[in-house]
Amino acid sequence: AEAAFAELHARRPVSVAIGVCAPWSTAVAARQVALKWKLPYLVEFQDPWKDFFEQGSWRVHEKTLKAITDKAAALINVCEHWCAQDSRDLNKPSLCVPNGFEPALFEGPTAAQTDQFRLAYVGTLGYLGASYPDTLWQGLAQIKHLDWTLDYAGRDVEMVRSAAERWDLGAHIN
């Protein structure tokens, strides 16, 4: 990584190194080049990083995480909630760069609007045994008084049914 960066930096000077994780490898490489070339360094998470690891392996990953964030000028994540969590957990400023579209640039809906909000999820909510679906259920529980529906098509149907029951969301889940 250092040799490739040196060649790139010689042709066109780089202003900042950004390491995207998990996995940790790109963040480790970005940290190395940032320190060697005395550049600011940012660590970008695109998900709640704690949820990627099994309970027994967390101690090993925690050491790696602290090592790659120790010299970071700031952290980046995709939503304000996770930015606040990262900032609190890692004692670093955290910037929000949303995935997908920038809401201010969206010109409006292309389909007829209805009074009901409808959310469709296709995929696997229980990815690697992660606990992040609880964030989804907590958020949906806060708006259960509104008119909305979650259409779920994917694996872990029993987990979705169980969560809908636990969070009193059964009327909203298809």
Side-chain angles (χ1 to χ4, degrees):
E2 284 188 30
F5 180 81
E7 183 181 321
L8 173 70
H9 192 54
R11 283 185 287 145
R12 187 176 205 177
V14 174
S15 302
V16 65
I18 301 175
V20 180
C21 56
W24 306 122
S25 55
T26 60
V28 169
R31 182 183 183 276
Q32 285 178 285
V33 298
L35 293 176
K36 185 171 183 172
W37 278 271
K38 296 177 176 50
L39 296 170
Y41 165 59
L42 306 174
V43 178
E44 179 180 356
F45 302 103
Q46 297 179 349
D47 289 301
W49 44 267
K50 282 184 177 179
D51 292 339
F52 283 109
F53 309 108
E54 309 234 352
Q55 290 291 59
S57 68
W58 174 240
R59 286 193 339 230
V60 173
H61 292 291
E62 185 175 30
K63 288 178 186 176
T64 304
L65 178 66
K66 288 182 189 253
I68 62 171
T69 59
D70 67 342
K71 303 288 185 191
L75 310 170
I76 302 170
N77 212 320
V78 298
C79 72
E80 294 294 341
H81 174 78
W82 291 338
C83 284
Q85 180 179 312
D86 293 347
S87 186
R88 181 183 62 249
D89 290 349
L90 299 169
N91 198 29
K92 296 279 181 186
S94 190
L95 312 167
C96 182
V97 179
N99 277 343
F101 66 90
E102 183 64 41
L105 300 177
F106 188 65
E107 293 181 10
T110 56
Q113 290 187 1
T114 66
D115 290 336
Q116 184 186 52
F117 177 72
R118 198 155 192 170
L119 175 67
Y121 188 97
V122 178
T124 303
L125 280 171
Y127 179 68
L128 296 178
S131 62
Y132 65 80
D134 282 342
T135 303
L136 171 65
W137 305 129
Q138 288 169 353
L140 292 175
Q142 291 178 15
I143 63 166
K144 67 182 172 186
H145 63 282
L146 300 175
D147 188 16
W148 61 270
T149 301
L150 169 65
D151 292 314
Y152 180 80
R155 297 181 184 169
D156 305 314
V157 173
E158 286 306 313
M159 187 267 300
V160 171
R161 283 189 189 129
S162 173
E165 185 176 310
R166 186 172 71 245
W167 292 94
D168 191 28
L169 298 171
H172 297 281
I173 311 294
N174 287 331

